[in-house]
């Protein structure tokens, strides 16, 4: 055992250098074996990398194909849905064309147009498109659009007095708000 710390520092680097020198001296056969082993490991890693890159390329292609297929199916579904709706309205168009070609009186034309409107309303009901209730209802800004107000004593304040344009809902979804005039009742305001 060394007596002083300075002796330790001198002895240890010398021993480490001698060990490294012995380890670095190899026979040519050992060097070739190590090179061959490293080469084999390199080739194996390169093969794994190539397999992973190939798999990645295939997954990307599958994803792109799935995206295109989903877009195509969405378009086909939209076209099918549109086609079925349009198909229901074709008889209405036919009836309008017949009304235009008719040579009847104004009253007959009016009755014909009223029948066409009823036909359209029935088709809308079948599609679950319903009109929004308006006249006499409490004004609701979520489904009614106020065009103005009118003074009316026969209706409560802030109730719909007139419907200017009908609004519609598709099930619970608002398609178009009803355009209305709202009653302003001065008797109720004063109370």
């Amino acid at each position: 055992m060394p007596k002083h710390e300075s002796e330790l520092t001198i002895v240890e680097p010398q021993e480490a250098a001698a060990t490294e020198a012995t380890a670095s001296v190899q026979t040519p056969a050992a060097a070739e074996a190590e090179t061959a082993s490293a080469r084999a490991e390199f080739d194996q890693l390169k093969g794994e990398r190539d397999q992973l890159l190939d798999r990645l390329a295939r997954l990307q292609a599958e994803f792109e194909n799935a995206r295109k297929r989903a877009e195509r199916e969405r378009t086909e579904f939209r076209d099918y849905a549109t086609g079925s709706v349009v198909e229901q309205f074709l008889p209405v168009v036919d009836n309008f064309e017949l009304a235009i070609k008719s040579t009847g009186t104004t009253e007959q034309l009016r009755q014909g147009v009223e029948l066409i409107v009823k036909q359209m309303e029935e088709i809308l009901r079948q599609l679950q498109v319903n009109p929004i209730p308006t006249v006499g209802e409490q004004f609701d800004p979520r489904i009614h659009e106020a065009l103005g107000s009118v003074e009316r004593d026969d209706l409560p304040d802030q109730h719909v007095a007139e419907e200017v344009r009908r609004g519609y809902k598709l099930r619970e979804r608002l398609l178009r708000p009803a355009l209305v005039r709202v009653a302003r009742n001065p008797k109720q305001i004063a109370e």
Side-chain angles (χ1 to χ4, degrees), residues 64-79:
E64 187 64 24
N65 289 340
R67 187 187 63 75
K68 287 178 183 176
R69 184 174 46 254
E71 180 63 32
R72 186 176 57 249
E73 288 172 356
R74 218 178 1 259
T75 301
E76 288 172 359
F77 177 74
R78 189 179 315 119
D79 290 347

Side-chain angles (χ1 to χ4, degrees), residues 78-97:
R78 189 179 315 119
D79 290 347
Y80 177 78
T82 302
S84 68
V85 170
V86 169
E87 187 178 352
Q88 291 179 354
F89 278 100
L90 291 178
V92 174
V93 173
D94 294 341
N95 288 337
F96 272 122
E97 288 175 353

Side-chain angles (χ1 to χ4, degrees), residues 2 16 90 95 112 147 154 161 180:
L90 291 178
N95 288 337
L147 182 64
D154 59 330
V180 298

Side-chain angles (χ1 to χ4, degrees), residues 12-31:
E12 288 179 7
Q14 288 175 350
E15 289 176 5
T19 307
E20 285 178 16
T22 309
S24 65
V25 176
Q26 293 182 354
T27 62

